[in-house]
Amino acid sequence: MCPSSSDIGSTGLLLIVVLLLVRAQENPRSRALLGVPFVILAAFYLRYGVVGNLLAVAVAAVLAYGPRVWLAQWRRLAAAAAVLLAGLVPHFLYATQVTGSPLGIIFYATEQAERAYIGDGLVYYLAIFPYRLAGDLGAVVMAAGLVGTWFAIRRIRRARREGRDASLPYDRRRVFLGTASLLIFVVLGVVTDGEPRFVYLPVILLTTLGVQYIAELTTRWAPQVLLAIAALAGITIFGTVQVVAHGAMPGPTSLSHSTVPVARQLSSTGPCLLVTGYEPEVGWYSGCDAVTFDQYRQTVPPPHTKVSFILFERGRYQPDAAGLRRLIGSHPHTRRTLRGDGPLGASTVITLTP
């Protein structure tokens, strides 16, 4: 699925959260911790899906720096927590009103994941990591970031065993960023179905760590090596754009030849709900609300809403005949077939009648 503006925007805000947490530890006099809740709230209200990222980042921060270090700033930590809770009150009130639970919307969003089993997303991330997330060059750089994180962990452990000062700021920063990246894959892999757009943050963090580690390895040749990497990245980006434009995009784009004509024919002046495997496109072009078949099973349409099921001849995420009968139940309905020239073939529209 193509990234949305909320995916990109929320990733930018998460990067700011990570930056503020690092600054709060590396500069004890800094008040960066007080700015964290405001950025978290902005990211959360932009996209609820950041909760998994934030959970992983919080756990990584405790593991990397230690709970005592954070508790040493307990006043700022308490103030930040109070601001965060106050900012979440409107969401909790709305979620309670709609679902009956302050966390109802978040749990509902998790339940909508198109996964075959719990952990399906994690298997997916393991299968595509890191090549399909960042390409050939990016995969090498991300792998270097993981290696650098591992050696940082070893140095911290060695310092502890030898009784030396283990508060190595650069190593702890590296452990924090690397651990957060891995935990994000684990958390999101367990609670979601897994999509590359969900893990922009760890890709960016591991790439950054990789560039830093490569620069350290090459010492005095670092400027030349990094320049070569940048040049290769430019070539890779150009090649990727060509592949996406002429190879990857035509397939998904061509689906509009099937979905858009159907959606426009089903537009209505009154309340309407369309149930389909292509809810973003169909909902947008029809002007109706749109949900997947799985979402409809947990939905009670408002009164006087025109409900239509759309099944394409070669569609995705559609119920079989028995599943469709269960969805329709005893409701009277009409059925019509709309011929189409798109890749999904003809469509069958089943509309419930009052």
Side-chain angles (χ1 to χ4, degrees):
M1 183 177 291
C2 295
S4 67
S5 58
S6 65
D7 294 312
I8 298 172
S10 60
T11 299
L13 292 170
L14 289 172
L15 284 170
I16 296 175
V17 171
V18 171
L19 173 64
L20 292 175
L21 291 176
V22 170
R23 186 170 179 81
Q25 285 300 330
E26 296 186 2
N27 184 1
R29 295 183 179 181
S30 171
R31 297 184 179 180
L33 195 57
L34 298 177
V36 170
F38 297 100
V39 185
I40 288 178
L41 290 171
F44 176 76
Y45 282 111
L46 179 62
R47 186 173 180 274
Y48 293 153
V50 302
V51 172
N53 289 268
L54 291 170
L55 176 61
V57 168
V59 172
V62 174
L63 292 176
Y65 294 106
R68 291 183 180 179
V69 178
W70 288 109
L71 291 176
Q73 302 187 49
W74 68 270
R75 289 187 178 86
R76 292 173 185 168
L77 198 62
V83 172
L84 181 60
L85 288 175
L88 290 174
V89 167
H91 171 78
F92 289 152
L93 293 176
Y94 175 73
T96 302
Q97 180 182 6
V98 174
T99 68
S101 168
L103 301 177
I105 292 179
I106 295 175
F107 289 147
Y108 174 78
T110 301
E111 293 168 358
Q112 303 313 305
E114 298 285 350
R115 58 187 178 186
Y117 52 87
I118 296 177
D120 182 15
L122 181 58
V123 173
Y124 171 77
Y125 287 135
L126 290 174
I128 68 173
F129 182 89
Y131 168 71
R132 289 185 59 189
L133 289 171
D136 295 322
L137 179 62
V140 173
V141 176
M142 288 176 65
L146 287 175
V147 172
T149 300
W150 171 248
F151 281 116
I153 293 174
R154 291 184 60 182
R155 284 191 295 271
I156 292 176
R157 287 180 175 176
R158 187 184 306 116
R160 287 177 176 173
R161 287 196 303 268
E162 296 174 356
R164 294 184 286 108
D165 182 12
S167 59
L168 308 172
Y170 295 107
D171 279 340
R172 289 191 177 278
R173 179 200 302 172
R174 187 170 292 172
V175 171
F176 168 45
L177 300 182
T179 304
S181 300
L182 294 178
L183 286 177
I184 289 172
F185 283 111
V186 173
V187 172
L188 296 185
V190 171
V191 302
T192 72
D193 53 341
E195 289 189 29
R197 65 191 180 95
F198 295 162
V199 291
Y200 286 160
L201 179 62
V203 170
I204 294 173
L205 294 180
L206 287 177
T207 301
T208 303
L209 290 173
V211 170
Q212 182 182 18
Y213 186 60
I214 291 172
E216 292 175 358
L217 286 178
T218 52
T219 58
R220 66 190 184 91
W221 295 100
Q224 292 84 347
V225 172
L226 295 181
L227 180 61
I229 292 176
L232 287 173
I235 296 173
T236 302
I237 291 173
F238 177 77
T240 301
V241 169
Q242 296 304 310
V243 170
V244 171
H246 301 290
M249 287 305 295
T253 302
S254 66
L255 295 179
S256 63
H257 297 298
S258 294
T259 57
V260 173
V262 174
R264 286 175 172 165
Q265 291 186 57
L266 295 179
S267 61
S268 175
T269 56
C272 51
L273 175 66
L274 303 181
V275 187
T276 173
Y278 301 87
E279 73 283 0
E281 302 94 332
V282 170
W284 176 267
Y285 287 100
S286 67
C288 300
D289 292 329
V291 295
T292 65
F293 290 95
D294 286 338
Q295 290 171 337
Y296 181 78
R297 292 185 179 94
Q298 306 175 46
T299 300
V300 178
H304 311 297
T305 299
K306 181 180 179 182
V307 178
S308 297
F309 301 95
I310 307 172
L311 298 100
F312 289 95
E313 186 179 358
R314 293 181 289 275
R316 67 184 181 190
Y317 305 138
Q318 300 179 163
D320 56 18
L324 183 61
R325 285 195 295 270
R326 287 193 293 270
L327 287 176
I328 296 174
S330 59
H331 293 285
H333 59 277
T334 60
R335 180 189 295 258
R336 56 175 170 154
T337 300
L338 304 176
R339 299 190 178 277
D341 298 326
L344 300 179
S347 59
T348 298
V349 179
I350 301 172
T351 302
L352 304 184
T353 56

